[in-house]
Amino acid sequence: MILPKTIKLTPYQLRGVEQGLSQRATYLAWDLGVGKTVTALTILANRKGPRLIIGPKMVRDVWRKELLDQFGQRLLCVGEDRGDSEWVFCHFDILRDWWVALRQNKFQCCVVDEIHYIRSKRAKRTVDTQNAISGIPFRVGLSGSPIVNSVRDLWPQLHALQPGIWGSEFEFAQQFAQPEATEYGWKYAGLSNEDELRLRLDDIMMIVHKKDVLPDLPPLTRQPVLLDLSPDSANEYRCVEFEMVQILREAKRQGKGRADALQKLTRQFAQVSKIKLKETKAWLKESAAHTDRLVVWTWFKETARAGGRLLRKSAEVRVVTGESTIDARTRAIGDFEGPSASHAALVATVGSLGHGVSIPSARTVVFIDLWWQPTLLLQAEARAHRMTSKQGVNVYYLVAKD
């Protein structure tokens, strides 16, 4: 068996590989940060023929890096790269333009990452994905949140992996989504025939919860999130970069005024922070919706406030800045850590929650801004990564691509 070069697969990952190689369709419904990507790559590496990976654009670079680091293979990204490769990535947004060409490659196996994105039968993304993978004999779906709104969300995903096996969407909903006839039509309010659904899902779906495999996991996982800037944001970014260079040159030429230069640089950093927040809105909302406890760190109060407004529809949000009173900061931590908090998010400036703050309930930590003092970033990480933490912590650093 072909295995990753530097990562030793855990027992549950090996079970996932075994399942993926023993049947035509597999759904790895694993929590965030437990190793879905390298497991899926191991499955594909042990299949013959061209391989296709489909997913959101944001995950492209994660797949590219893991494939190169662990299997020494090049990932060809549709619409960006030239040349030939048996490993191809196409993101959801351009599938409509490329699925006909992709079908000509006669892929033998595929992975659909974040497969819950295709939870609506008639949505463009769903139709395009089904067209792209039609005829591919071996299929793997990946998601940490298969059901977002209703058990009906499962049908398009299962139909993509096992077409024809799950009946029509209406038949599936009538059987498993607790149908209720109303004067406006059918309403699907919950889950019915649960035992039968679980029995049928056992044939395709492997579920892994972080709490069940924590002893197998490293206690802290760091990962960059590489942002593709829009043309307008890229222009703003270059202007900020130019201003920073001018500030440094002027300070060097004068040989004094260091404090003034630092103030000017900090104002430019604040502009960078705004740009990154603007470019990562969808990713942050998705993280808040599918993470029980999310912490977002920034250095700037304006970014913290904007981030709080952004996440209010996805989570119960508390915002803490340097202007918050001590009592307000204590209440925010208490609310975030409280047992009744569900989909809680804490958006804070790094300087506002200093020594002695403990937020061990955090599952996901996001840094919008980098800083010139890495130790301060490590200290902010440590506020969530404590000995009292009940699960591992996933830390993401938002980095604009050059």
Side-chain angles (χ1 to χ4, degrees):
M1 177 183 289
I2 300 173
L3 293 172
K5 291 181 179 179
T6 63
I7 295 176
K8 182 179 180 181
L9 298 182
T10 62
Y12 70 85
Q13 288 177 305
L14 290 171
R15 290 197 300 273
V17 172
E18 182 181 356
Q19 178 169 324
L21 293 175
S22 64
Q23 52 198 53
R24 287 184 173 270
T26 295
Y27 193 142
L28 301 183
W30 295 8
D31 280 351
L32 180 70
V34 297
K36 292 190 293 290
T37 301
V38 70
T39 303
L41 284 173
T42 304
I43 294 172
L44 295 189
N46 286 278
R47 293 283 188 194
K48 295 181 179 180
R51 305 148 177 99
L52 174 65
I53 301 168
I54 296 172
K57 188 176 183 180
M58 188 71 76
V59 304
R60 171 202 58 201
D61 292 301
V62 174
W63 286 93
R64 194 202 302 266
K65 185 177 187 303
E66 287 291 303
L67 179 60
L68 183 62
D69 290 351
Q70 300 304 326
F71 298 94
Q73 297 292 323
R74 171 177 176 261
L75 184 65
L76 189 150
C77 295
V78 173
E80 301 176 29
D81 300 330
R82 295 183 179 182
D84 296 318
S85 176
E86 287 205 332
W87 298 78
V88 176
F89 178 93
C90 187
H91 64 81
F92 289 124
D93 296 340
I94 62 172
L95 267 180
R96 173 153 295 188
D97 299 326
W98 287 93
W99 71 262
V100 174
L102 289 171
R103 290 265 291 269
Q104 296 174 0
N105 280 30
K106 300 187 184 303
F107 291 103
Q108 294 303 299
C109 49
C110 70
V111 167
V112 182
D113 194 7
E114 306 292 0
I115 194 172
H116 63 273
Y117 275 42
I118 63 169
R119 59 182 178 269
S120 174
K121 181 179 76 170
R122 296 178 182 83
K124 168 179 171 290
R125 183 181 291 159
T126 303
V127 175
D128 296 342
T129 301
Q130 290 174 343
N131 285 335
I133 67 176
S134 177
I136 298 179
F138 300 102
R139 308 177 186 187
V140 178
L142 306 179
S143 176
S145 49
I147 298 175
V148 178
N149 298 311
S150 160
V151 72
R152 291 179 68 190
D153 295 345
L154 283 174
W155 185 85
Q157 304 171 55
L158 296 171
H159 181 68
L161 296 174
Q162 293 181 312
I165 300 297
W166 294 88
S168 68
E169 183 184 35
F170 179 75
E171 291 170 337
F172 182 88
Q174 289 293 109
Q175 188 170 5
F176 299 117
Q178 196 175 330
E180 178 185 339
T182 72
E183 58 180 311
Y184 304 106
W186 288 102
K187 175 183 177 182
Y188 299 100
L191 175 62
S192 52
N193 298 312
E194 181 178 356
D195 290 341
E196 181 181 353
L197 179 59
R198 286 182 180 276
L199 186 63
R200 292 188 62 185
L201 286 175
D202 279 346
D203 292 335
I204 181 175
M205 184 177 286
M206 179 182 174
I207 300 173
V208 172
H209 295 300
K210 183 176 291 185
K211 62 182 178 63
D212 298 327
V213 299
L214 190 60
D216 294 333
L217 296 175
L220 182 82
T221 302
R222 294 188 185 94
Q223 184 173 316
V225 176
L226 302 179
L227 305 177
D228 282 305
L229 300 181
S230 66
D232 288 343
S233 291
N235 287 333
E236 289 183 65
Y237 213 96
R238 283 191 287 270
C239 288
V240 170
E241 182 182 39
F242 176 81
E243 288 295 326
M244 285 183 166
V245 171
Q246 296 306 308
I247 291 168
L248 291 171
R249 284 177 175 170
E250 182 66 14
K252 183 177 181 179
R253 185 183 66 81
Q254 293 181 352
K256 58 181 180 179
R258 182 178 178 185
D260 182 60
L262 284 174
Q263 289 182 354
K264 292 178 180 178
L265 286 172
T266 299
R267 286 195 288 271
Q268 297 303 319
F269 267 120
Q271 288 299 114
V272 172
S273 184
K274 292 178 182 178
I275 295 169
K276 289 164 76 173
L277 181 63
K278 179 174 64 176
E279 291 294 327
T280 192
K281 286 181 179 180
W283 187 88
L284 277 174
K285 287 180 179 179
E286 187 79 9
S287 296
H290 297 108
T291 302
D292 289 340
R293 311 289 173 97
L294 169 70
V295 176
V296 180
W297 293 111
T298 176
W299 284 93
F300 306 101
K301 61 184 180 182
E302 295 83 3
T303 303
R305 291 167 181 161
R309 291 192 296 269
L310 173 68
L311 297 177
R312 277 192 181 125
K313 292 185 178 180
S314 304
E316 297 177 19
V317 182
R318 299 292 182 272
V319 177
V320 178
T321 71
E323 295 178 349
S324 303
T325 66
I326 297 299
D327 287 343
R329 300 179 200 196
T330 302
R331 284 196 301 272
I333 295 296
D335 292 342
F336 181 84
E337 289 290 308
S340 61
S342 176
H343 287 304
L346 177 65
V347 185
T349 56
V350 175
S352 67
L353 295 178
H355 300 289
V357 173
S358 178
I359 43 178
S361 293
R363 296 188 64 186
T364 301
V365 176
V366 177
F367 287 88
I368 295 177
D369 313 307
L370 300 180
W371 205 242
W372 44 54
Q373 295 171 286
T375 54
L376 297 179
L377 302 178
L378 295 177
Q379 289 172 7
E381 284 185 1
R383 294 166 199 169
H385 184 223
R386 322 287 288 190
M387 290 185 65
T388 52
S389 296
K390 296 179 180 178
Q391 60 265 318
V393 179
N394 296 295
V395 180
Y396 297 91
Y397 286 90
L398 305 186
V399 182
K401 292 189 68 176
D402 189 0

